[in-house]
Amino acid sequence: MTKQRYGIIGHPVAHSLSPAMQGAAFKALGIDAEYLLYDVEPDKLEGFLDDAPKKNILGLNVTIPLKIAAKDYLERKGQLDENARRLGAVNTIKFTGETPSGHNTDGPGFYRSLVKDLNFEPEGKSVFSLGAGGAARAIVMYLANGPRAIYVFDSDGEKAGALQKYYKKYYDGRKLVITDRDGLKEALSKSDLLVNATPVGMREADPSPVAKELLHPGLYVYDLVYNQLSTRLVKDANSMKLHAITGLGMLLYQGAIAFEIWTGKSAPISVMKKALREEIGKKDGS
Ligand code: NAP
C-alpha cells in the first residue's frame, strides 16, 4: 500500500519548519507517513486540492498566500469548522471522510501556548496587539469577547481599521480599540498582555518594536517571532523580570492541533518541540 501522505502547501514553502516537526510526530507514534513540501501557485490550488485524495494525501497544512483561497475552496467543495469560517482562512485541511474539511489552528495554537507556556489566561484581561495583519487577525478573532479590552496598533492604519471592522461583525465592537502612535503609550499602560504581531524581530539585528520604557511591571509579553531563539523585545522584558516568550509555542501547538485533527491521536508535544528547536538551530536564526 502507498505510504500515507501529509504535507504543507504554500508559495513558497521551502523554508517551512513543519516537515521536521510533523515528521518527528509521525515517527514517534509509529505512523507510516511522509510529510512533504508542495509549492503550489495560487491558480493551481483548485486542481491540486481536487487531486489530493488520489495522491493518497490525507492532510495538509496551508500557508501564505493560499489560506484565503483554501477557505473559498472548502466553502464550495467541502466544509469549514466554525473557527476557520469566522476567520475566513484555512491553515489545515483533512481529506478523510466524505468531503474535505478546513480548519484553522493558528488561534487555538496561540491560545494553548499562551496558557501553557506563558501562564496567562486572557479572560477579563486587557490585551494589546502590535500589528493587525494575518497573525493578529487569527489571534484577535480567537480571543473573541474573552478579554475585557483589545487594543490594536498597526503602522498601517487601514489594516487596523479592517481588523476592527471584521471583529465587529462577530463580537462586541466596543471591546476592540484602535490606537494611533500617540495613544500607544496609554493603551499599553492599561494592558496586561502585549503581543508582538509584527515581523520586527525576525532578523537578529532588529530592534524591539516597543521602546523598553513603555513596558511596565506585571505586563506579560508574547512575541510571535519564532525564527529566533530570542528577540530584543523578549530580552528587554526579561531584564525587567517580566514573563515573556517568543512564538515557538504557537508554532508548535498550531502544528500539534493539526496533527490531532488529522490522526485523532494526542500529539507528542515534547518530540515535536525538540524537532522544531533543532530545525531553528540549523537555520541559524535566518
Ligand atoms: P503581516 O500580515 O505582514 O502583518 C504585520 C503587520 O504589522 C503589517 O500590517 C505591518 O505594517 C505592521 N507593522 C510592521 N512593523 C510595525 C511596527 N513597528 N509597529 C506597528 N505595526 C507594524 O504579518 P503576519 O503574517 O501577521 O506575521 C506577523 C508576525 O507574526 C511575523 O513575525 C510572523 O513570523 C509571526 N507569526 C508567528 C506565528 C507563530 O506560529 N509563532 C504564526 C504566524 C505569524 P506594514 O505592512 O505597513 O509594514
Side-chain angles (χ1 to χ4, degrees), residues 3-23:
K3 229 179 195 183
Q4 294 181 15
R5 282 204 178 129
Y6 295 86
I8 179 163
I9 53 170
H11 185 64
V13 281
H15 298 293
S16 172
L17 298 167
S18 294
M21 168 169 64
Q22 300 293 359

Side-chain angles (χ1 to χ4, degrees), residues 252-280:
L252 169 69
Y253 285 111
Q254 64 76 32
I257 296 167
F259 182 91
E260 289 167 358
I261 289 170
W262 296 327
T263 65
K265 298 183 195 304
S266 289
I269 297 296
S270 56
V271 169
M272 294 174 87
K273 189 188 265 183
K274 184 166 173 275
L276 259 187
R277 283 229 169 93
E278 282 171 6
E279 202 59 16
I280 290 172

Side-chain angles (χ1 to χ4, degrees), residues 1 5 14 56 76 103 152 215 228 251 255 257:
M1 202 186 122
R5 282 204 178 129
N56 217 26
R76 282 184 283 112
H103 311 261
V152 176
L215 307 180
Q228 303 287 339
L251 186 68
I257 296 167

